[in-house]
Amino acid sequence: MADPADTNPNTGDNRPALALHVPEPRSRPGDPVNFADVEISEPGAQPRPDESAKPEDMKDLAYSLIRVLGDDNKAHGPWDPKLDPETLRTMLGHMAMVRAFDERMFRGQRQGKTSFYMKCTGEEATSVAASMALASDDMVFPSYRQQGILIARGYPLIEMINQIYSNKGDKLKGRQLPIMYSSREHSFFSISGNLATQTPQAVGWAMASAIKGDSRIAATWVGEGSTAEGDFHSACTFATVYNAPVILNIINNQWAISSFSGFAGAERTTFAARALGYGLAGLRVDGNDALACFAAQQWAANRARANQGPTLIEYFTYRAEGHSTSDDPSGYRSAQEREEWPLGDPVMRLKNHLIAIGEWDEDRQQAMDLKCAEEVKATTKEAEKNGILGHGMHQPFNTMFEDVFEELPWHLKEQAAQATHEREVKWPEGRPKS
Ligand SMILES: Cc1ncc(C[n+]2csc(CCOP(=O)(O)OP(=O)(O)O)c2C)c(N)n1
Ligand SMILES: [Mg+2]
């Protein structure tokens, strides 16, 4: 006989009441932070399989962390990409530029020059170092936090700022949210605000490249939170089924605005382990180690280019700042997290590595930082001549209907005519200058 005390008051039987688990982040504002439970692999300890390895023979790499830079600031183990000092300095220069650019644009938003900006502080290596391992004409399908790719590919800063200001120099004519760049010449697919849509698009592009017998591969970047979207899983299925020449990069920066990574599944397993269920090669990388980021992307690029299959890479990193200029992280996470993050800062680590191998010093670093800041400042001034937010309309009104369709469909023609008419009624003398 069941003890009457065990009786479920809801159902009247003695089966236990069902319950859900709701994830809770490790710390909330004001809480002390302890990352002791985060497993950090020894730099140099991970094996580097051949690029043609079968996914099932390299499962461990989806659960540990590929790391190259040690606490001694030296490079260790088989994943050391052995880059020459000049390339390392170029990489550091791009990362320093991203940081300077982020600082200035963030300030620009606070000064009312643009409506919106997103920094990538702490994640610079995952875009700069990773994209440097690709060919410049490999097609990239980024999310909104990979400004480092454009900077590494030499996209002019002024084009970025014109887009952020939605001014008359903006090649996208103010029709995209600030920071949602697009550049065909730089093989940089238009950024979409609809999370994870870029992932099946990257796989589709890679499939098309293979169908055409081309040699260019595709790579996409997606936040860990966005992997909860169905699109990401469709991308993985198509990638594995057709052995598409594509790299799926997941940036696990621990947060998706105010939702921590647990809501996308991080309490149960790693994001790299998603690869295993699809039969994809999976790598998990210290995202604050620029050399490891480069090496993993290079491994995956070689694999894709040799028709050996797609790779899913998780970069384990930390979003050091707010999600965007519209966010205030002090409302939902402990400010101490940033300081306690056990994998350090990617720019400092690369700088310290160059110093440790006798190829850099603090004076040159200071000069580099100053040069980046001055270049961004001068380019900002230049871009401001094309206009800033709130200083009138920078693009002719009717351009909002153009350029999407080769031939304007009838319903847009009607809307354009109606909008023009309404403006003529409202402002018979023309729109007043603001
Ligand atoms: C389909 C869709 N759902 C929700 C949003 C709103 N949204 C914008 S960014 C974001 C968080 C994404 O987090 P993550 O994927 O981890 O990327 P991160 O911002 O950390 O780089 C959300 C929920 C959106 N833009 N698109
Ligand atoms: Mg995130």
Side-chain angles (χ1 to χ4, degrees):
M1 280 290 282
D3 183 341
D6 288 342
T7 303
N8 183 325
N10 295 313
T11 58
D13 63 30
N14 61 0
R15 290 179 296 186
L18 299 173
L20 291 178
H21 166 71
V22 180
E24 254 306 309
R26 64 180 68 236
S27 46
R28 288 294 191 187
D31 290 345
V33 173
N34 186 354
F35 284 113
D37 60 319
V38 175
E39 282 178 38
I40 310 279
S41 312
E42 198 56 38
Q46 285 64 47
R48 185 185 186 283
D50 190 82
E51 284 129 0
S52 61
K54 291 202 176 87
E56 63 265 32
D57 294 337
M58 46 180 285
K59 284 183 182 161
D60 288 353
L61 291 173
Y63 295 102
S64 57
L65 278 178
I66 293 169
R67 304 182 73 216
V68 173
L69 290 174
D71 291 342
D72 59 359
N73 296 316
K74 299 270 174 62
H76 299 272
W79 286 94
D80 176 6
K82 300 206 181 330
L83 298 173
D84 61 74
E86 202 45 49
T87 306
L88 291 176
R89 281 190 288 264
T90 302
M91 190 182 277
L92 182 67
H94 291 325
M95 287 166 63
M97 179 55 92
V98 172
R99 204 157 270 194
F101 188 77
D102 276 0
E103 281 307 315
R104 188 104 206 151
M105 292 301 106
F106 184 88
R107 225 169 339 136
Q109 192 276 340
R110 292 299 191 246
Q111 292 166 341
K113 294 175 184 169
T114 178
S115 55
F116 187 72
Y117 191 70
M118 296 177 103
K119 286 177 157 188
C120 66
T121 313
E123 302 172 40
E124 292 88 348
T126 63
S127 56
V128 169
S131 65
M132 283 177 73
L134 298 173
S136 59
D137 59 354
D138 286 334
M139 189 71 189
V140 298
F141 291 77
S143 173
Y144 43 65
R145 222 181 283 283
Q146 279 80 49
Q147 49 268 51
I149 301 177
L150 280 176
I151 286 178
R153 286 195 165 177
Y155 188 65
L157 290 185
I158 188 139
E159 304 283 5
M160 293 173 81
I161 305 173
N162 284 338
Q163 199 282 332
I164 292 166
Y165 288 171
S166 311
N167 63 21
K168 67 174 188 288
D170 174 14
K171 295 227 169 85
L172 306 180
K173 302 183 186 170
R175 293 176 294 198
Q176 282 266 70
L177 185 74
I179 71 144
M180 305 238 161
Y181 317 102
S182 170
S183 177
R184 184 191 289 267
E185 299 75 39
H186 294 78
S187 300
F188 187 97
F189 193 75
S190 308
I191 298 173
S192 165
N194 304 318
L195 298 176
T197 50
Q198 73 274 22
T199 56
Q201 289 164 351
V203 176
W205 192 96
M207 288 170 65
S209 189
I211 290 166
K212 287 189 268 190
D214 204 327
S215 62
R216 290 171 298 162
I217 62 170
T220 182
W221 278 253
V222 66
E224 90 293 341
S226 306
T227 65
E229 283 285 342
D231 272 0
F232 173 75
H233 300 276
S234 306
C236 291
T237 303
F238 274 83
T240 193
V241 168
Y242 295 100
N243 216 40
V246 67
I247 306 168
L248 301 157
N249 295 301
I250 301 173
I251 308 301
N252 177 7
N253 64 3
Q254 316 300 321
W255 290 92
I257 316 187
S258 55
S259 290
F260 87 113
S261 56
F263 281 103
E267 287 180 339
R268 308 298 189 197
T269 187
T270 69
F271 289 96
R274 298 270 181 276
L276 305 178
Y278 292 101
L280 294 165
L283 301 176
R284 190 162 182 264
V285 181
D286 174 351
N288 290 14
D289 176 340
L291 298 189
C293 293
F294 182 97
Q297 192 75 11
Q298 187 180 48
W299 186 94
N302 290 344
R303 180 180 178 86
R305 228 179 285 286
N307 284 315
Q308 296 295 326
T311 306
L312 186 154
I313 307 176
E314 172 188 352
Y315 298 86
F316 193 68
T317 181
Y318 187 74
R319 196 197 76 208
E321 303 252 349
H323 172 74
S324 72
T325 47
S326 310
D327 180 40
D328 175 9
S330 70
Y332 56 81
R333 72 180 188 186
S334 170
Q336 249 188 298
E337 277 194 13
R338 177 180 183 167
E339 285 136 51
E340 298 292 328
W341 179 246
L343 294 173
D345 174 83
V347 182
M348 292 296 284
R349 283 175 70 189
L350 184 58
K351 177 192 94 168
N352 290 338
H353 172 59
L354 270 160
I355 293 175
I357 59 172
E359 293 288 347
W360 199 239
D361 55 56
E362 294 289 354
D363 288 348
R364 278 193 276 179
Q365 182 68 39
Q366 262 190 16
M368 176 191 265
D369 288 340
L370 191 65
K371 191 162 165 277
C372 289
E374 279 173 355
E375 188 180 334
V376 176
K377 190 174 170 191
T379 316
T380 305
K381 288 233 157 74
E382 205 48 41
E384 283 175 14
K385 292 181 190 158
N386 293 324
I388 55 170
L389 180 76
H391 288 214
M393 281 245 290
H394 300 302
Q395 301 286 342
F397 166 73
N398 257 63
T399 57
M400 84 161 88
F401 294 98
E402 296 165 5
D403 297 339
V404 174
F405 297 96
E406 197 168 339
E407 265 200 41
L408 206 61
W410 66 267
H411 67 286
L412 288 185
K413 273 187 198 153
E414 270 188 17
Q415 279 183 30
Q418 190 180 342
T420 306
H421 174 69
E422 280 174 11
R423 289 168 71 83
E424 280 165 3
V425 171
K426 189 169 177 187
W427 295 306
E429 312 291 326
R431 187 174 182 272
K433 293 248 173 298
S434 54

